[in-house]
Amino acid sequence: MGIPTNHKAVLLATFIAFGGFLFGYDIGVISGCLIMEDFVDRFGEVGADGVAFLSSSRQSIITSLLSAGTFVGALAQAFTSDRFGRRGSILIWSAVFTVGTAIQTATVRSIVQITIGRFIAGLGVGALSAIVPLYNGETAPKAMRGMLLVLYQLQIIMGIFISYIIDLGTHYIHGSASWRIPVGLQMLWGLFLLSGIFFLPESPRHLLGTGKDAEARRVVAELNSLPQDDPVVVDIIEELEFGIRAENEGGKATWLECFSTRNQLWKRTINGMMLQFIQQLNGQNFYYYYGDTFFKSAGTQLDPYAIQSILGGVSVVGTIPALYLIEAWGRRNSLLTGSIMEAVCALIAGLVGHYTLAPNGTPADQLTKRNRQGGDTLIAFAVLHVFSFSVFWGPTPWVYLGESFPLRVRPKAIALGSATNWLWNFLLSFFAPRIAEKIGPLILLIFFGMLTFGYVYVWLFIPETKGLSLEEVDEMYRSGVKPWNSSGWRPSEKHIHDKAGTTTEVREVKEKDEDETA
């Protein structure tokens, strides 16, 4: 028996996680463009004083159309992933993203064109946000799946950070190059993912499900750097077949099954959706999307682009300890700690901003010392807020989502959680600038209220799943243990699958087959 090495699998997972970089970069890049002079001149409105400005309504439309596209894309990928395979689906949606970016870059003055481009790019981003974890989960070594899921979050944060750095460097350029360069670079990122067509293997699970057993065996052997007839490869293939067989028992799982009372699936699905909902209303995305505009109104002496770059760097630094804390502290404690830290930051920043900042539009030479100190205080707590999010609420809901469901309904349950994330991402990006225009920094008190609610919800309903297998999570939910006692819960059963003597032909149930037999 050979000793498997995971170098190829890890490199492959790292490459695919670049899909998270696309998502993060697109979130971050638009916030800097919104206050670039040429961008405002082309896509803004002319005020009574003859000066162009970008109204809150136009800001929200430009920003939120990406999120609307991601919601649709996350659902649409379910059809392409089965029909064209995971590999083919990644390539298709990378191409869609690249086309959307090209449309944005080629825009001259039409706000309709640039918003359509962002919607199309959003289709690709949303689809990849669901396919990438799915692909990694089916190809990565089991012992490393949790870490690779946090790596995906790290790639998102890296994308945001890099976009801030590029905005910082190009906003000095006169003319359309100031925003076309950072926006157009996304085509390069999309083409980079498209290059995977030359070396990406198909998911072994998908190959087995479509009857391509020999090719699945070859891919598994290649990922583990072992001969195809090695016992380790044989064991992995048997495990994959067992999983597909379990998933297909009783026919194809339906969406309604995610809300069934069996093993309290309804409670798990609701928990996954609620964590995604609370995550989006933590307040961090408000800084990501509108940070430049918001900090500019704070009257700080720091360049708003520099502040955004600092926020991006803090996010990257904060995600790194999450790789350790997600296991050392557990999921539940991470969420509870993050709720407290972020809530304090939102409360202080909101009140300080409301009572010390000058009215929006006040000339810099008319700002008092108190105004400037208030702006600096607001920014300091914004940085701490974003750091706390990156450590706790950034990765943890995704980790919880990926380990809380039995194999049979996991794809659909994760899709529901992801769709919830994108829905509230869209609503936040659409309404936040309008609300901030009316109440200013007090919008942070809304996030404070949501974080307080999040703490209570986690305490009452979210159990600790650290160190448990999927079967043990099932047992924990059946046991009825209270979430606040779940950290000390231990499984009473041995969850061993006896596959001896089992030979079953495995085939995925196709939607089209259901249509034909209906």
Side-chain angles (χ1 to χ4, degrees):
M1 178 184 294
I3 299 176
T5 58
N6 303 130
H7 300 100
K8 291 183 179 179
V10 172
L11 288 174
L12 183 66
T14 303
F15 173 82
I16 292 301
F18 190 77
F21 183 91
L22 299 187
F23 168 37
Y25 186 92
D26 206 66
I27 283 181
V29 75
I30 196 63
S31 64
C33 293
L34 292 177
I35 59 173
M36 290 181 181
E37 185 177 344
D38 187 82
F39 190 90
V40 173
D41 179 66
R42 289 173 181 270
F43 306 112
E45 304 166 84
V46 179
D49 56 358
V51 178
F53 72 100
L54 203 58
S55 65
S56 60
S57 61
R58 291 206 172 196
Q59 287 185 40
S60 64
I61 290 173
I62 292 173
T63 304
S64 63
L65 259 291
L66 174 84
S67 301
T70 56
F71 178 79
V72 177
L75 297 177
Q77 63 79 29
F79 301 97
T80 61
S81 291
D82 285 336
R83 184 175 181 82
F84 301 106
R86 282 45 160 167
R87 172 181 178 271
S89 195
I90 288 172
L91 300 176
I92 288 171
W93 293 108
S94 296
V96 170
F97 171 81
T98 306
V99 169
T101 301
I103 293 173
Q104 295 176 65
T105 308
T107 305
V108 179
R109 289 187 176 274
S110 172
I111 191 172
V112 174
Q113 180 177 337
I114 197 169
T115 51
I116 289 176
R118 284 186 60 75
F119 179 82
I120 294 175
L123 293 174
V125 170
L128 289 170
S129 73
I131 300 170
V132 169
L134 176 63
Y135 185 91
N136 272 349
E138 293 179 351
T139 58
K142 289 187 293 185
M144 305 181 71
R145 283 174 185 163
M147 185 192 72
L148 290 173
L149 187 55
V150 177
L151 175 63
Y152 178 67
Q153 173 71 16
L154 181 60
Q155 287 272 31
I156 294 175
I157 299 301
M158 282 295 298
I160 294 174
F161 176 58
I162 295 299
S163 73
Y164 290 162
I165 295 298
I166 293 175
D167 278 348
L168 175 65
T170 64
H171 83 281
Y172 295 105
I173 301 175
H174 295 291
S176 63
S178 60
W179 60 271
R180 288 189 197 275
I181 290 175
V183 171
L185 274 175
Q186 294 175 100
M187 288 187 286
L188 181 62
W189 313 146
L191 291 173
F192 178 71
L193 259 188
L194 275 172
S195 70
I197 194 173
F198 298 109
F199 60 86
L200 276 182
E202 181 53 84
S203 158
R205 182 193 180 284
H206 180 75
L207 291 172
L208 283 172
T210 52
K212 301 176 182 178
D213 296 17
E215 189 175 351
R217 187 180 300 274
R218 180 188 62 78
V219 171
V220 169
E222 181 181 345
L223 290 176
N224 289 275
S225 301
L226 293 171
Q228 293 188 31
D229 58 352
D230 191 275
V232 173
V233 175
V234 175
D235 287 344
I236 293 175
I237 292 295
E238 288 180 354
E239 288 181 9
L240 289 172
E241 290 179 336
F242 177 84
I244 298 173
R245 185 166 58 250
E247 182 177 332
N248 289 337
E249 286 178 355
K252 192 174 182 67
T254 64
W255 293 95
L256 285 178
E257 189 173 337
C258 296
F259 298 95
S260 69
T261 56
R262 182 174 61 86
N263 294 340
Q264 295 192 340
L265 284 176
W266 68 272
K267 182 180 293 186
R268 296 192 239 181
T269 301
I270 293 298
N271 280 347
M273 295 172 68
M274 285 298 295
L275 287 181
Q276 296 294 329
F277 158 63
I278 297 169
Q279 184 206 56
Q280 283 303 302
L281 293 183
N282 266 210
Q284 83 294 339
N285 275 350
F286 176 75
Y287 293 124
Y288 289 152
Y289 281 127
Y290 304 107
D292 286 0
T293 306
F294 192 62
F295 294 140
K296 188 176 183 180
S297 67
T300 177
Q301 294 178 330
L302 295 174
D303 187 303
Y305 291 96
I307 297 169
Q308 284 290 77
S309 299
I310 293 172
L311 287 178
V314 166
S315 297
V316 173
V317 172
T319 306
I320 294 175
L323 295 167
Y324 167 77
L325 292 176
I326 196 69
E327 296 297 341
W329 283 15
R331 288 63 162 148
R332 182 178 165 85
N333 286 336
S334 292
L335 293 172
L336 292 172
T337 303
S339 296
I340 294 174
M341 293 181 65
E342 290 180 62
V344 170
C345 292
L347 178 63
I348 294 175
L351 293 178
V352 169
H354 177 68
Y355 288 109
T356 65
L357 295 187
N360 191 19
T362 302
D365 57 359
Q366 296 182 21
L367 295 175
T368 66
K369 181 179 179 180
R370 184 169 181 267
N371 296 149
R372 295 186 183 280
Q373 289 177 337
D376 291 341
T377 302
L378 185 152
I379 292 168
F381 279 95
V383 169
L384 184 56
H385 187 148
V386 169
F387 176 82
S388 302
F389 172 83
S390 299
V391 177
F392 302 114
W393 272 91
T396 306
W398 291 105
V399 173
Y400 183 88
L401 196 65
E403 64 187 9
S404 296
F405 306 100
L407 183 63
R408 175 176 168 79
V409 298
R410 189 191 301 173
K412 288 182 172 60
I414 291 176
L416 288 170
S418 300
T420 302
N421 182 285
W422 290 120
L423 174 63
W424 285 97
N425 185 291
F426 165 73
L427 294 174
L428 174 71
S429 60
F430 186 81
F431 288 108
R434 302 165 189 263
I435 297 173
E437 185 180 43
K438 299 292 184 182
I439 64 176
L442 288 180
I443 189 175
L444 296 174
L445 297 187
I446 297 177
F447 303 133
F448 166 77
M450 180 53 62
L451 287 160
T452 303
F453 167 76
Y455 182 92
V456 174
Y457 187 89
V458 170
W459 179 265
L460 293 177
F461 300 110
I462 303 298
E464 180 57 70
T465 56
K466 180 186 71 171
L468 301 179
S469 68
L470 296 179
E471 292 79 13
E472 289 165 349
V473 171
D474 280 337
E475 183 189 346
M476 180 178 66
Y477 272 96
R478 290 198 307 268
S479 72
V481 63
K482 301 299 183 184
W484 50 89
N485 295 326
S486 60
S487 296
W489 181 86
R490 295 293 180 269
S492 59
E493 303 174 6
K494 290 185 178 180
H495 302 279
I496 300 176
H497 300 302
D498 183 9
K499 300 191 290 292
T502 303
T503 56
T504 305
E505 181 181 13
V506 182
R507 294 292 183 268
E508 284 189 348
V509 180
K510 296 290 190 178
E511 293 284 356
K512 63 179 182 180
D513 293 338
E514 293 182 346
D515 294 337
E516 291 173 358
T517 57

